[in-house]
Amino acid sequence: MIRRRLILLAGLLLALPARAWEEEQAIAFILAWHPVVAAQRTVAASYQPPSLTRRVMEHTSFYVRAASGTSSTVSEGGDTTTSSPMTVGIQVNIPLSSPREQREFAQQALSEATRIDEVRGRALTDLAKLRELEAERAAVQERLGFYRAKADWLQERVKKGYEGDVEKLWESAQKQNSEAAAVKRLDLLLTAQRRQVAHLAGDHWEPLFNYLADQGRLPE
């Protein structure tokens, strides 16, 4: 009885799909390249209040103007030149950060966070569906292997005369065909689901598709 339970447990463990990809890595890649999230991130960055250094650079100007005082006259070689005193300097005008500026940035940051949350939720749902299909395919593949082994065993018994009911061979063959067809159907569904998830990354969908199919790593 214990031996039978151990064999059953081993079969269940083999039926579980290997975690070739990780949800967090896939989601991080999606959020980095999702077109709407990227656009919202750019907009929010444009509303970022400038730093003090940036404000100084943007509001610093040079000036040259006539200074108060008397003019000077210089004679040289019969020519007379009159010059007025000039003042050269730097003028800095740093406006205070307005509440409106801060409010607009906060609104854009909130929009970005909301969009990220929406995309993350959809990605988690699609990835959960992908895991479900992978688990189902692994279970079907396990059953297919069992039916094939059983068919080989029955065929050997028929050859040796231990089993005379050939109908059992046909029944086993039908089960094999059914499970093999299920594997092909699930392969198509898995490809479609991987493509659906991958296209959340916009133009960078292909590396994610390969990663979900265990055909490569995500680029750094």
Side-chain angles (χ1 to χ4, degrees), residues 50-61:
S51 63
L52 178 60
T53 302
R54 179 179 167 187
R55 286 180 180 276
V56 171
M57 294 179 63
E58 290 180 347
H59 300 283
T60 300
S61 60

Side-chain angles (χ1 to χ4, degrees), residues 76-110:
E76 183 178 353
D79 296 329
T80 301
T81 302
T82 302
S83 62
S84 300
M86 306 296 292
T87 300
V88 179
I90 299 176
Q91 182 173 343
V92 180
N93 180 21
I94 305 178
L96 296 176
S97 179
S98 65
R100 177 183 177 184
E101 186 179 50
Q102 295 289 348
R103 184 172 61 253
E104 289 177 345
F105 173 68
Q107 290 173 346
Q108 294 300 324
L110 178 61

Side-chain angles (χ1 to χ4, degrees), residues 121-136:
R122 178 182 173 185
L124 283 171
T125 300
D126 290 345
L127 288 171
K129 179 62 176 179
L130 181 58
R131 285 286 191 209
E132 181 182 343
L133 291 172
E134 288 178 342
E136 185 178 353

Side-chain angles (χ1 to χ4, degrees), residues 2 8 13 43-44 47 56 60 75 82 88 95 101 113 117 119 140 148 152 160 174 189 202 205 209 211 215:
I2 296 177
L8 179 60
L13 291 175
V43 172
Y47 279 83
V56 171
T60 300
S75 298
T82 302
V88 179
E101 186 179 50
D117 188 61
V119 173
V140 172
R148 284 173 176 171
D152 293 340
K160 293 181 178 180
Q174 288 176 349
L189 291 175
W205 68 270
F209 179 83
Y211 174 68
Q215 296 176 359

Side-chain angles (χ1 to χ4, degrees), residues 2 13 17 21 24 40 54 57 80 101 114-115 134 140-141 153 155 183 187 202 218:
I2 296 177
L13 291 175
W21 51 269
E24 287 306 317
Q40 188 66 52
R54 179 179 167 187
M57 294 179 63
T80 301
E101 186 179 50
T114 301
R115 184 65 63 185
E134 288 178 342
V140 172
Q141 190 68 47
W153 177 75
Q155 191 171 9
V183 169
D187 284 341
L218 287 174

